[in-house]
Amino acid sequence: MSVFKELLSRKSHNKLVAPAPCETQVEQMMKLALRAPDHALLKPWRYQVFTGDSLVQLGEFFAQASEIENPELTADKLDKIKAKPLRAPMVIVASVLITEHPKVPEIEQYLSVGASVQNLLIGAHLMNIGAIWRTGSLCFNRHLMDLLRLKTNESLVGFIYLGQEDGDKKSPKFAKQDEFVSWK
Ligand SMILES: Cc1cc2nc3c(=O)[nH]c(=O)nc-3n(C[C@H](O)[C@H](O)[C@H](O)COP(=O)(O)O)c2cc1C
């Protein structure tokens, strides 16, 4: 398949099972992720890779941070939150480290990290690895950012769940271009 056709067939998948991507595959994905457009070469992207036992640790961080935010949460709800990272054999936590720069506002640094995550998703797809980018309220929870040892000028942008796709592979739908693209 041509690379173009291959890219058109990318589709997020939420049922992901073992095996997790191996170290070489993560390295390949990161090679692409760290080659995203980047004004003034600030390198605003940061990634933390969780797999195996560290996914359990990530789940504990999710539950702790949720409980600090809302002490009313029931034990049942906290257990569900704790289990979230176990929905895939690997979760890559993506964050943006903001650098003050006279020509590069914060928004541009977020955009760079968005492009970087997309590169990572493309890398996964090209290696036949299923993936989905998730956020949810935990992505905006400062207590979780502290537990993950993010710096004060750093924020989460997403949790990238990775693994082998389980169940039927969905086909992407393509938008009518004239609704989104206009020629001037
Ligand atoms: C910043 C961002 C956050 C997202 N958060 C979630 C999420 O929390 N849960 C979810 O099911 N999908 C989430 N999505 C959407 C999926 O990652 C995916 O893009 C969507 O299901 C469309 O599938 P596609 O990537 O195959 O087009 C998010 C997407 C982006 C860009």
Side-chain angles (χ1 to χ4, degrees):
M1 210 189 286
S2 71
V3 175
F4 193 78
K5 267 192 167 170
E6 189 71 59
L7 290 181
L8 285 175
S9 69
R10 187 202 63 80
K11 181 88 192 84
S12 298
H13 203 88
N14 57 13
K15 284 193 190 126
L16 300 164
V17 293
C22 67
E23 260 185 70
T24 312
Q25 289 172 321
V26 173
E27 218 175 279
Q28 291 292 94
M29 282 186 261
M30 288 302 166
K31 215 169 187 175
L32 276 174
L34 274 49
R35 267 297 302 131
D38 175 18
H39 194 176
L41 306 183
L42 298 178
K43 300 182 174 49
W45 37 71
R46 293 293 181 278
Y47 293 103
Q48 298 187 31
V49 182
F50 291 83
T51 190
D53 289 346
S54 69
L55 284 173
V56 177
Q57 175 70 73
L58 183 60
E60 273 161 19
F61 286 163
F62 276 19
Q64 277 176 42
S66 303
E67 197 174 17
I68 302 171
E69 190 91 338
N70 179 6
E72 313 278 286
L73 284 175
T74 62
D76 190 43
K77 181 74 189 151
L78 287 171
D79 281 346
K80 282 190 181 134
I81 294 170
K82 206 182 279 183
K84 276 178 189 267
L86 306 175
R87 290 177 292 182
M90 178 175 283
V91 177
I92 298 185
V93 176
S95 54
V96 55
L97 183 78
I98 301 295
T99 302
E100 278 204 34
H101 190 286
K103 289 189 181 155
V104 190
E106 198 171 304
I107 181 75
E108 290 194 9
Q109 299 179 48
Y110 270 87
L111 290 168
S112 263
V113 180
S116 169
V117 171
Q118 174 65 4
N119 270 6
L120 192 160
L121 294 174
I122 286 171
H125 177 66
L126 293 176
M127 290 186 287
N128 230 357
I129 296 164
I132 183 163
W133 180 352
R134 295 180 188 273
T135 47
S137 59
L138 276 160
C139 194
F140 309 98
N141 182 318
R142 202 67 231 177
H143 309 295
L144 178 61
M145 299 188 209
D146 292 341
L147 289 164
L148 289 167
R149 301 193 183 282
L150 266 58
K151 302 201 168 89
T152 49
N153 55 334
E154 189 177 0
S155 296
L156 288 169
V157 300
F159 310 107
I160 320 305
Y161 286 67
L162 297 143
Q164 282 304 302
E165 292 180 2
D166 192 31
D168 292 341
K169 192 164 173 71
K170 296 175 202 155
S171 304
K173 291 196 178 86
F174 294 96
K176 278 193 182 154
Q177 295 199 9
D178 55 7
E179 285 178 32
F180 305 98
V181 184
S182 59
W183 285 66
K184 308 292 179 194

